Amino acid sequence: MTKSEERKIEGQKTLASGYVTLDDLKKAGNIPPDGILEARAVPIIDDIEEIPCTPCRDVCPTGAIIMPSMNDPPKVKWEACTGCTLCVQACPGLAITLVNMSFGRKVLKRNDIALVSIPYEMIPVPKRGDRVRVYDRGHNYLCDGEVYSVIKSVKFGTIVINVLVPKQYALHAKYLEVIKGE
Ligand code: SF4
């Protein structure tokens, strides 16, 4: 079986579940080893199919996103990522989150908290300190989180919310809902 045929079968499995699961991403090599995950920010790209789409690769200032042809699913050179979030801002499919497992340890002196950068299209846009509900790829509730900061990208017209979540949910976190009235 060719690589292309293998990828098409992966895509069919994904369609069967209705969305890309964390297991799909692990099998496709889109989740880094634990050692890298604990040490640095990494983009998690929910794309395992042959889709002709290259903004993440094109915008990355360090060449961390590898896509030999425009139809190849993106792969990440983990050590080259600086955590700038430009790929999250540039992705038209909102398919990328940036997971920073070491943020709590390095910045907040808390080893149980991670920072996840999530693209956001809803109104109102939350602000620092707001509480949000965090959901997984299947829209299942995971946990509450706290907005640490908000990136408003003038270049791409996108909003990226940096949210603090318990580390065990960081790789699953995909969608946010602002908790109103608090
Ligand atoms: S976060 Fe920045 S450096 Fe890392 S892959 Fe995305 S664009 Fe490249």
Side-chain angles (χ1 to χ4, degrees), residues 151-165:
I151 299 168
K152 295 180 180 173
S153 170
V154 174
K155 182 171 182 184
F156 300 105
T158 49
I159 304 282
V160 175
I161 310 295
N162 292 322
V163 61
L164 301 169
V165 299

Side-chain angles (χ1 to χ4, degrees), residues 38-160:
E38 282 298 322
R40 57 188 311 127
V42 288
I44 304 300
I45 305 181
D46 286 16
D47 177 8
I48 59 174
E49 299 184 46
E50 294 182 353
I51 299 168
C53 186
T54 64
C56 61
R57 178 195 70 182
D58 299 342
V59 80
C60 181
T62 65
I65 297 179
I66 312 298
M67 206 183 296
S69 86
M70 71 184 303
N71 279 326
D72 287 318
K75 297 293 169 202
V76 179
K77 244 195 296 179
W78 309 113
E79 291 83 356
C81 176
T82 62
C84 71
T85 79
L86 282 174
C87 56
V88 184
Q89 298 173 36
C91 177
L94 311 186
I96 306 177
T97 56
L98 192 83
V99 172
N100 188 340
M101 292 288 196
S102 63
F103 185 85
R105 186 178 76 245
K106 291 177 179 170
V107 178
L108 306 175
K109 308 300 177 213
R110 286 190 59 180
N111 198 31
D112 58 331
I113 297 289
L115 187 75
V116 185
S117 305
I118 300 178
Y120 189 79
E121 286 191 314
M122 307 298 280
I123 292 175
V125 175
K127 59 185 183 312
R128 179 179 167 91
D130 280 354
R131 302 291 300 172
V132 291
R133 292 190 186 89
V134 182
Y135 296 86
D136 71 7
R137 291 170 177 80
H139 296 271
N140 302 299
Y141 171 78
L142 291 170
C143 61
D144 285 2
E146 180 182 331
V147 174
Y148 183 77
S149 59
V150 176
I151 299 168
K152 295 180 180 173
S153 170
V154 174
K155 182 171 182 184
F156 300 105
T158 49
I159 304 282
V160 175

